[in-house]
Amino acid sequence: SGFFLSDFLSKKQLTKLNILQQSLRIDILSLETQFSILTQAPCENLNESTLTKELYDISQKLTSVENNLGRDNPYFLQLKKYYSILELKHWLLIKRASKNCKLNLSFIIYFYTDKKNCPNCQSQGLILSYFRKKYPFLRIYSFDWNLELSALQTLKSVYNLKEQFPILIVNDKVFYGFKNKEN
């Protein structure tokens, strides 16, 4: 009976995880379609805050998948790569819209790595999350330095980044090392 109970609980957990993964796929596809629509929208009809909120919501679901599968799971890594590409597309779209439509937005790109190589990265992430909630004009994009993705390699190259963590790019200016709330 212990074996059957364990098997039942495992199947139930797997079903829950599959539903979450499918939901994440649909959300990502929807977000990608919204990017395409917004590139065609005139400035007076541009409402990027909904798109930004959805991107954040997807990141929360991705965290849930990471907690269930583990950060080294190949399926999770594929989702993380896809999400990172969406973040980059969002950044490019909103940055261009900010310039063309004269939106008052500020941008932070944040590169983090594992605890061993960056003991302050988690604290830096918490500070950035606080600012994201406090300042509605702030757009924050977080990327795993070790994620093997050519688009991220290009971004690192464009900003000539060094491996000194955490790394913040604030409105195109690069800062290395932990920055507290006051900084």
Side-chain angles (χ1 to χ4, degrees), residues 10-46:
S10 293
K11 285 181 181 177
K12 188 174 182 176
Q13 182 68 13
L14 193 58
T15 301
K16 223 166 79 172
L17 183 60
N18 284 335
I19 291 169
L20 181 62
Q21 289 171 345
Q22 186 62 29
S23 171
L24 186 58
R25 281 190 203 116
I26 290 168
D27 289 347
I28 287 173
L29 184 59
S30 174
L31 190 62
E32 194 172 63
T33 305
Q34 287 181 55
F35 284 146
S36 299
I37 293 168
L38 285 175
T39 59
Q40 307 300 315
C43 288
E44 58 272 7
N45 296 338
L46 184 66

Side-chain angles (χ1 to χ4, degrees), residues 107-121:
F107 301 92
I108 296 177
I109 297 174
Y110 168 55
F111 278 99
Y112 63 90
T113 189
D114 58 43
K115 218 176 217 180
K116 180 180 142 199
N117 294 312
C118 181
N120 292 321
C121 281

Side-chain angles (χ1 to χ4, degrees), residues 14 16 50-51 75 85 88 107 110 126 142 153-154 182:
L14 193 58
K16 223 166 79 172
T50 302
L51 183 65
Y75 180 74
I85 291 169
L88 286 169
F107 301 92
Y110 168 55
L126 292 172
S142 301
Q153 298 307 322
T154 301
E182 291 74 32

